[in-house]
Amino acid sequence: MTIRRLMRVGVVGGGAMGCGIALELAIAGRRVVLYNTRPDSSERARAKLERDAALLVETGLLTPAQREAALGRIRRTTVLAEAVVDQDLVLESVPEDLALKQEVFRQLDALAAPDTVLASNTTALSVTALARDCTRPERVLSAHYYLPAHLVPLVDVIPGERTSPDVVEAVRQLLEEVGKTPVVFAKDVPGSVGPRLLQALIGEGIRLVQEGVATPEMVDRVLTQGIGRRLGVSGVFDRLDLAGLDLVTSVMRNAGRPVPPVLERKVEQGELGLKTGQGFYTWTPDTTAAFEERVARGLITQLREDRAEGRLRAPTAEVPE
């Protein structure tokens, strides 16, 4: 299957997510038509695009000229056909309701040219189910962004059961060209990885509050000042290897939690992480030093920003009398 380069994009749904997607694509030189159902929602989208672009200028990520050029590449409309006809890619970002999204895809399928790629920003729904009534299921896939879409690099690329590999590759190339970090899944995975991990985190946070262990403010502070800091520079599995899989196993048992079989096997085999050179990853002195320096530099950057903005005090050797 031949897929032309994806240059003209329609975004269907101009809420917070759709606006972020449209802005990022426009910054990267794509012509974007942003669809909202009503004039008032289209006006709110205009205001949000301008605020978001202004902040990028304020923080040095865009020049004023780049901001004006990007906003000039976005055309807003309340006519669906204008966002769909003659586009290389149409990306749907409407509320997470299967029946609604299926209806939207029926309309997109009827309006778009036969070679147009249709993508959904769905968080949890099956791509195959969304494409159920489409005449081109081989050109339907998910491109799941993370809010705010123009600031978070990751995008999940998820095919349906009949999606062409060429379509997946074309979308992956587009995302790389506009500065994203695409993760391509081999098959239809409703919810992908990020939303599943987030749901587990949300569920545990709510339980802690319900049980009186912590307040919402305490949970959020633990995440933003502790766990979230580390997750910004290291993931789950390299963090497990850093801590030591034997220690992690012991902590789980002491907390009354079941130890996953894969973790038990690694401990039994002596694969304990950094200290043995093998855990979920293979570690050498060089890769260990590089990892530790990368983590430290990332955390130092966050500390420096917090202190500069007055959110944290710098330590001092002076002892008050």
Side-chain angles (χ1 to χ4, degrees), residues 120-134:
S120 174
N121 186 46
T122 180
T123 299
L125 300 175
S126 162
V127 177
T128 303
L130 295 179
R132 182 190 64 185
D133 300 324
C134 291

Side-chain angles (χ1 to χ4, degrees), residues 145-156:
Y145 287 73
Y146 291 77
L147 194 67
H150 64 299
L151 299 178
V152 179
L154 186 67
V155 181
D156 298 324

Side-chain angles (χ1 to χ4, degrees), residues 37-175:
T37 56
R38 303 184 311 277
D40 60 329
S41 57
S42 182
E43 178 60 22
R44 286 194 296 272
R46 179 200 61 77
K48 179 165 179 53
L49 287 165
E50 291 185 352
R51 288 195 306 272
D52 289 346
L55 185 58
L56 294 178
V57 173
E58 179 186 327
T59 53
L61 291 179
L62 286 182
T63 66
Q66 289 172 327
R67 171 187 178 274
E68 291 305 312
L71 292 176
R73 296 186 190 103
I74 302 173
R75 180 164 68 89
R76 292 175 294 109
T77 183
T78 56
V79 179
L80 181 61
E82 293 181 4
V84 180
V85 175
D86 296 328
Q87 304 293 352
D88 301 318
L89 168 69
V90 177
L91 205 155
E92 164 273 317
S93 186
V94 304
E96 197 73 358
D97 177 270
L98 178 59
L100 172 62
K101 286 183 181 283
Q102 286 176 329
E103 174 56 30
V104 168
F105 268 86
R106 280 192 288 269
Q107 295 180 48
L108 300 182
D109 188 59
L111 291 168
D115 58 352
T116 298
V117 174
L118 305 180
S120 174
N121 186 46
T122 180
T123 299
L125 300 175
S126 162
V127 177
T128 303
L130 295 179
R132 182 190 64 185
D133 300 324
C134 291
T135 60
R136 69 188 87 199
E138 71 281 359
R139 290 181 180 268
V140 179
L141 77 168
S142 170
H144 170 246
Y145 287 73
Y146 291 77
L147 194 67
H150 64 299
L151 299 178
V152 179
L154 186 67
V155 181
D156 298 324
V157 180
I158 306 172
E161 291 179 0
R162 297 175 61 183
T163 306
S164 166
D166 292 338
V167 169
V168 173
E169 176 59 19
V171 171
R172 186 198 64 77
Q173 287 182 6
L174 166 68
L175 292 168

Side-chain angles (χ1 to χ4, degrees), residues 151-287:
L151 299 178
V152 179
L154 186 67
V155 181
D156 298 324
V157 180
I158 306 172
E161 291 179 0
R162 297 175 61 183
T163 306
S164 166
D166 292 338
V167 169
V168 173
E169 176 59 19
V171 171
R172 186 198 64 77
Q173 287 182 6
L174 166 68
L175 292 168
E176 287 196 343
E177 287 174 5
V178 303
K180 304 305 278 187
T181 303
V183 174
V184 178
F185 289 78
K187 61 181 180 179
D188 196 354
V189 186
S192 65
V193 173
R196 291 188 184 187
L197 291 171
L198 182 58
Q199 288 301 315
L201 182 60
I202 290 171
E204 188 63 27
I206 291 173
R207 278 191 292 274
L208 289 168
V209 171
Q210 285 182 160
E211 294 169 2
V213 175
T215 65
E217 293 80 9
M218 289 169 62
V219 171
D220 284 348
R221 178 164 291 192
V222 166
L223 290 175
T224 57
Q225 298 297 312
I227 296 171
R229 291 289 180 113
R230 299 192 315 194
L231 287 177
V233 292
S234 61
V236 171
F237 290 98
D238 51 21
R239 180 61 53 178
L240 288 173
D241 279 0
L242 176 63
L245 303 188
D246 52 342
L247 174 61
V248 173
T249 299
S250 177
V251 169
M252 285 183 167
R253 287 183 175 138
N254 291 337
R257 296 179 180 273
V259 178
V262 65
L263 199 53
E264 288 185 329
R265 285 197 300 271
K266 284 192 171 293
V267 172
E268 290 170 359
Q269 294 167 3
E271 298 178 358
L272 306 182
L274 268 72
K275 57 188 173 185
T276 63
Q278 182 64 50
F280 286 100
Y281 296 102
T282 299
W283 299 92
T284 66
D286 287 343
T287 59

